[in-house]
């Protein structure tokens, strides 16, 4: 099985029919993220139950990578605590920067591992990390 094509499919799927792309009624927090180098523009909306992210969704427009990365991230962080989500953000950014030497560490990123090869495409790195930085900003506001 060719893992790369599986990953590409996953990105295309999240880009085309993202169940996470809608506005979130009664959101507790909304954070806007913009990547001028590509034109990606997202608004991330979050709901909290104490310190747990109980629901999340996004709206916006941009390239397939930015949209898929946002959708995959939302799948990953729903139901996680703020602390756990921040740790996942750090792991994802470290993966894209190629700062992670132990591949076992990447396993907690689940589907987001599909974006690992973006680290070899410098022009697309900002597209992939946009939503993660946006989430980090939102969570730091909450803390
Ligand atoms: Zn982009």
């Amino acid at each position: 099985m060719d893992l790369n094509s599986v990953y590409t499919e996953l990105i295309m799927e999240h880009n085309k029919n993202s169940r996470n792309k809608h506005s979130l009624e009664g959101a507790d927090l909304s954070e806007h993220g913009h990547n001028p180098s590509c034109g990606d523009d997202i608004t991330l909306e979050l709901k909290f139950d104490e310190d747990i992210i109980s629901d999340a969704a996004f709206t916006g427009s941009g390239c397939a990578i930015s949209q898929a990365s946002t959708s995959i991230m939302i799948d990953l962080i729903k139901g996680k605590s703020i602390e756990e989500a921040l740790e996942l953000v750090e792991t994802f950014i470290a993966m894209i920067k190629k700062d992670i030497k132990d591949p076992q560490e990447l396993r907690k990123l689940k589907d987001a591992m599909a974006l690992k090869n973006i680290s070899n495409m410098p022009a697309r790195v900002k597209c992939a990390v946009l939503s993660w930085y946006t989430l980090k900003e939102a969570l730091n506001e909450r803390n």
Side-chain angles (χ1 to χ4, degrees):
M1 185 171 64
D2 180 358
L3 271 183
N4 273 329
S5 67
V6 171
Y7 286 166
T8 306
E9 256 170 53
L10 187 77
I11 289 170
M12 295 321 286
E13 186 196 299
H14 271 275
N15 179 46
K16 247 202 269 173
N17 314 304
S18 176
R19 60 190 169 279
N20 297 322
K21 191 168 181 176
H22 55 85
S23 57
L24 197 59
E25 192 105 0
D28 295 306
L29 197 59
S30 165
E31 189 77 38
H32 180 242
H34 182 58
N35 168 23
S37 66
C38 175
D40 307 317
D41 201 280
I42 59 159
T43 300
L44 187 65
E45 292 186 290
L46 302 166
K47 265 192 205 177
F48 296 93
D49 181 3
E50 309 254 304
D51 74 328
I52 302 293
I53 301 167
S54 57
D55 206 358
F58 78 107
T59 51
S61 59
C63 67
I65 290 171
S66 69
Q67 304 293 296
S69 182
T70 308
S71 177
I72 290 169
M73 179 189 80
I74 287 172
D75 274 349
L76 189 66
I77 59 157
K78 262 195 244 179
K80 298 279 195 302
S81 69
I82 291 175
E83 197 182 327
E84 286 169 323
L86 283 170
E87 201 185 300
L88 289 165
V89 168
E90 294 310 322
T91 305
F92 182 83
I93 291 168
M95 174 182 82
I96 296 293
K97 287 183 177 165
K98 295 188 178 180
D99 281 344
I100 292 185
K101 303 290 171 242
D102 179 5
Q104 290 290 98
E105 240 202 279
L106 297 179
R107 296 179 71 169
K108 63 183 167 199
L109 292 175
K110 307 214 172 122
D111 282 355
M113 283 172 66
L115 295 155
K116 187 170 186 284
N117 289 338
I118 303 292
S119 56
N120 299 317
M121 304 157 71
R124 311 318 297 273
V125 163
K126 283 184 182 160
C127 306
V129 297
L130 174 66
S131 58
W132 301 76
Y133 276 116
T134 306
L135 174 66
K136 188 177 171 179
E137 237 167 79
L139 295 180
N140 284 334
E141 264 170 45
R142 177 83 185 177
N143 261 343

